[in-house]
Amino acid sequence: MTFDLYTTLYIVAIIAEAMTAALLAGKLEMDLVGVFLLGWITALGGGSIRDVLLNHYPLSWVRHPSYPLITGFAALATIMVAQHMHRLRKLFLFLDAIGLVVFTVMGCQVAMTEHLSVVCVIISGMITGCMGGVLRDILCNDIPLLFRSELYGTVSVSTGVVFLCCSHIVDNRNIELLISMIFGISFRLLSIRYNWTLPRFSYRS
């Protein structure tokens, strides 16, 4: 039951991330190979970086070869519905929030299974949740969302802390996931709705 829940949410998350990456690829007029690869890298890049840093092998997409195909074809499928995306903006914001939270929780879980320190668990969650987007933005020659004032990394870190606390209080993985998702998704959507940001540093000589 727990495995199915996590797997289902993970599939939803990687599809959502691949589709959002495809929209950016379309704005930059990439070809089909570019759309496919950008969707794949965005959806699976964060988890791959985490696994390499933690020496956690095999990588998730090596263990499950269907994941690159799912993300790549989800990105390509976005081309057919791209003209209607403005009607689905709220849905995609919600799915993107799910992706951030689910990736963060799964990153924390991987570090916890390796019996790493609290700091490493939180960092592992943030890497999994955010680094796919960083790779996407770098490949598209843009300043990564993680490094801007928008609350993205903050939501990931906060969700990781909540999940870590729940894992020591609640003895049910589904409830831990549910609490973390409610917190993380609510935090992310509220930050977008009310334009919550961190202070910016501006320096001019």
Side-chain angles (χ1 to χ4, degrees):
M1 175 67 178
T2 303
F3 176 79
D4 290 341
L5 176 62
Y6 272 75
T7 302
T8 300
L9 289 173
Y10 181 73
I11 296 297
V12 170
I14 60 176
I15 289 175
E17 293 301 309
M19 295 183 77
T20 55
L23 293 177
L24 182 55
K27 290 179 180 179
L28 297 176
E29 300 183 355
M30 293 186 182
D31 63 15
L32 296 183
V33 173
V35 173
F36 186 99
L37 291 178
L38 192 66
W40 173 20
I41 291 170
T42 303
L44 303 176
S48 297
I49 292 175
R50 174 208 65 216
D51 288 343
V52 170
L53 291 175
L54 298 183
N55 198 32
H56 183 260
Y57 296 103
L59 303 182
S60 63
W61 57 269
V62 175
R63 190 165 59 251
H64 302 284
S66 60
Y67 289 173
L69 297 177
I70 291 173
T71 55
F73 284 114
L76 292 177
T78 307
I79 296 173
M80 295 182 287
V81 296
Q83 299 303 319
H84 305 285
M85 283 300 174
H86 62 282
R87 303 175 186 172
L88 305 174
R89 180 176 180 274
K90 292 182 179 179
L91 174 62
F92 266 84
L93 287 175
F94 180 71
L95 292 176
D96 182 68
I98 289 178
L100 175 63
V101 172
V102 171
F103 290 160
T104 297
V105 168
M106 298 191 87
C108 290
Q109 280 192 320
V110 170
M112 289 168 67
T113 59
E114 299 290 334
H115 306 291
L116 300 178
S117 67
V118 171
V119 173
C120 290
V121 169
I122 300 302
I123 292 176
S124 175
M126 187 181 72
I127 288 173
T128 311
C130 301
M131 288 306 294
V134 171
L135 292 175
R136 174 200 63 211
D137 293 339
I138 290 174
L139 290 173
C140 294
N141 198 31
D142 195 9
I143 298 175
L145 184 63
L146 178 64
F147 304 146
R148 286 178 260 172
S149 58
E150 187 173 330
L151 299 184
Y152 200 77
T154 304
V155 171
S156 180
V157 170
S158 301
T159 300
V161 171
V162 169
F163 177 75
L164 194 59
C165 292
C166 288
S167 67
H168 288 88
I169 299 172
V170 181
D171 191 25
N172 186 302
R173 290 181 65 201
N174 281 333
I175 296 178
E176 294 169 12
L177 176 61
L178 181 62
I179 293 173
S180 301
M181 287 193 64
I182 291 174
F183 170 82
I185 292 172
S186 299
F187 190 5
R188 173 62 177 156
L189 295 180
L190 285 171
S191 71
I192 295 173
R193 173 65 177 82
Y194 295 104
N195 196 30
W196 294 343
T197 61
L198 291 175
R200 295 187 181 188
F201 172 62
S202 178
Y203 173 76
R204 293 178 177 85
S205 60

